Amino acid sequence: MKTKGPEGTEDFMSLEEVVVTEEFLNSRPNPKKIQKVVDYVKRTGSLDEPITIKRDTKILTDGYTRYIVAKKVKMDLIPVEYEK
């Protein structure tokens, strides 16, 4: 059975497959924002929106906070949309 992701979801993939660039790894997302997303995930069981990745390289282009939260709550599959 395919899980229905948040609006805009084009696919689901394993967190391990997502490639995160140094730029994101060196950034510090707002802890309040992270907590807000964690609370949302705990309440609903899914992210509020998909993360955005490049289709061919699986490089994360948007949604680093959601990526961190998915890691934090140990989500197996995360909703993704491909960069246009």
Side-chain angles (χ1 to χ4, degrees), residues 59-78:
I59 290 175
L60 179 75
T61 57
D62 188 41
Y64 184 53
T65 299
R66 295 186 297 278
Y67 172 84
I68 290 173
V69 170
K71 232 181 153 93
K72 199 177 210 142
V73 301
K74 297 179 173 45
M75 289 177 93
D76 294 327
L77 290 176
I78 54 170

Side-chain angles (χ1 to χ4, degrees), residues 12-81:
F12 285 89
M13 69 173 14
S14 156
L15 205 55
E16 280 72 53
E17 288 182 79
V18 179
V19 179
V20 182
T21 61
E22 280 297 309
E23 199 179 334
F24 277 124
L25 292 173
N26 293 331
S27 70
R28 293 277 167 260
N30 182 328
K32 282 189 176 82
K33 197 171 169 187
I34 291 175
Q35 192 53 54
K36 197 174 150 192
V37 180
V38 166
D39 294 342
Y40 182 89
V41 171
K42 284 182 176 167
R43 200 169 62 244
T44 65
S46 81
L47 293 171
D48 55 342
E49 54 183 293
I51 65 165
T52 306
I53 61 168
K54 291 185 177 171
R55 188 181 295 271
D56 49 349
T57 58
K58 296 183 172 54
I59 290 175
L60 179 75
T61 57
D62 188 41
Y64 184 53
T65 299
R66 295 186 297 278
Y67 172 84
I68 290 173
V69 170
K71 232 181 153 93
K72 199 177 210 142
V73 301
K74 297 179 173 45
M75 289 177 93
D76 294 327
L77 290 176
I78 54 170
V80 296
E81 69 179 347

